Amino acid sequence: MLDLILRHAVLPDGRRDIDVGVRADRIVAVEPGLKAAACDEIDCAGQLLAPPFVDAHFHMDATLSYGMPRVNRSGTLLEGIQLWSELKPQLTQDALVERALRYCDWAVAKGLLAIRSHVDVCDPRLLAVEALLHVRERVKPYLDLQLVAFPQDGVLRTPGALDNLKRALDLGVDVVGGIPHFERTMQDGAESVRLLCELAAERGLPVDMHCDETDDPASRHVETLADCARRLGLQGRVAASHLTSMHSMDNDYVAKLLPLMAEGGLAAIANPLINITLQGRRDTYPKRRGMTRVPELLAAGIPVAFGQDCVLDPWYAGGSADLLEVAHMGLHVAQMTAQDAMRQCFACVTEIPARILGLPGYGIAPGNRADLVLLQARDPAEAIRLRATRLAVIRGGRTIARTPPATARLQLSGRPQTVDWTLDRADAAPVNTTEVPPCPHSRP
Ligand code: FE2
């Protein structure tokens, strides 16, 4: 006797009419026509059953602070950093916890059950670190929160930042962060990459740096990061976030860089909503998109995740913890409109970030944790197109959020009464099932 069976599901890899059996908090069967009984059954009715969304790049200490103490008038990254430094002295631990928990509620409702959040360590009080460590424990039953020690104002540029960062790691922060392009000089940037990678190697921790988040094609710290990862044996444990300067780099240089990144076992994390918003701000026209080269990175065997980065904070006035909105923007900005490419965009907010974060037991397979999201869509491309409703969100075999199906009633004579958002693709070409590039990533 099982606890739960989800019947007649479509899986992200294209398998159809699949039943998923759950006992306690584990998936025990994934097969068509499962011959078993269960205490509870959900009829997926040919809709998409996916593993939960995973956000590989977020700032939970800043989220939901939009307008505090004022809004970002220029809309630039640098005014956002300035604004954040104005807000920091006013932060309280209670307010940080309250905002973070509220965001986690939004995340659960959207089927987002794992988040890697950077947390600023430049304030010697480490208020935000302590608040988010508390939140990490509070949400553990329903959301995996991973924290990155992030020296927002530069680890070399800010007196005491390195000590603060080490104290944050001592307190239990999971990942070493950095921001080399914000250090005073290119040399300082490279030096920060080296010392932070050495620190991570010493402590056996992963690295995730804000790297080259600028339109300046001469910002090439990713090269140093790839080399440090190779030299220190950190392959598979280093992520480079943003990499927007790659958008503007010379093609010849990128042709050299991509194999170096693959050799260093780097993962890349693009943040489409924020990159398209913050980059290109000094351009007139043509205006650059600013997002890194996602299809080229994937083709080079480098895993790429799409992150949310910001929601209602000094940098961004939008967002809603909806990783399908993130994938939707990523798909458009990267022009990933082929069927396989759209499927890859879905992987960029599910299985690829799960591997970057090293989440154990992730995915729809026997033995894995029964973390599942039932979407009102028939396949990953449709889920992205419709930013599909999360009909049910399941964590460890237990339903933790439900949303009614999106529908609209028409009042038009001679027309159906309800809107059907799907397109019958019975005569469409069959979908190829291209493998997502392998990712060697796993946490130590
Ligand atoms: Fe960020």
Side-chain angles (χ1 to χ4, degrees), residues 57-59 118 150 152 210 213 241-242 271 274 309-310:
H57 189 110
F58 193 59
H59 294 264
H118 296 251
F150 174 47
Q152 170 76 76
H210 285 63
E213 188 184 3
S241 283
H242 288 294
N271 298 291
I274 307 309
D309 200 7
C310 302

Side-chain angles (χ1 to χ4, degrees), residues 360-374:
Y362 178 92
I364 302 181
N368 284 346
R369 198 162 64 179
D371 294 354
L372 302 158
V373 182
L374 179 60

Side-chain angles (χ1 to χ4, degrees), residues 125-188:
R125 298 173 299 168
L126 295 183
L127 269 186
V129 170
E130 287 179 0
L132 290 193
L133 284 167
H134 172 75
V135 169
R136 189 177 68 181
E137 291 310 303
R138 283 274 294 272
V139 302
K140 202 175 251 177
Y142 53 88
L143 188 148
D144 297 308
L145 178 58
Q146 204 175 82
L147 299 176
V148 185
F150 174 47
Q152 170 76 76
D153 302 323
V155 75
L156 296 178
R157 192 168 174 168
T158 312
L162 182 58
D163 284 343
N164 298 342
L165 188 147
K166 288 178 179 171
R167 282 197 293 129
L169 298 177
D170 292 341
L171 288 170
V173 169
D174 309 277
V175 182
V176 176
I179 186 165
H181 58 276
F182 197 68
E183 302 291 353
R184 283 196 176 83
T185 64
M186 287 292 183
Q187 289 82 356
D188 279 1

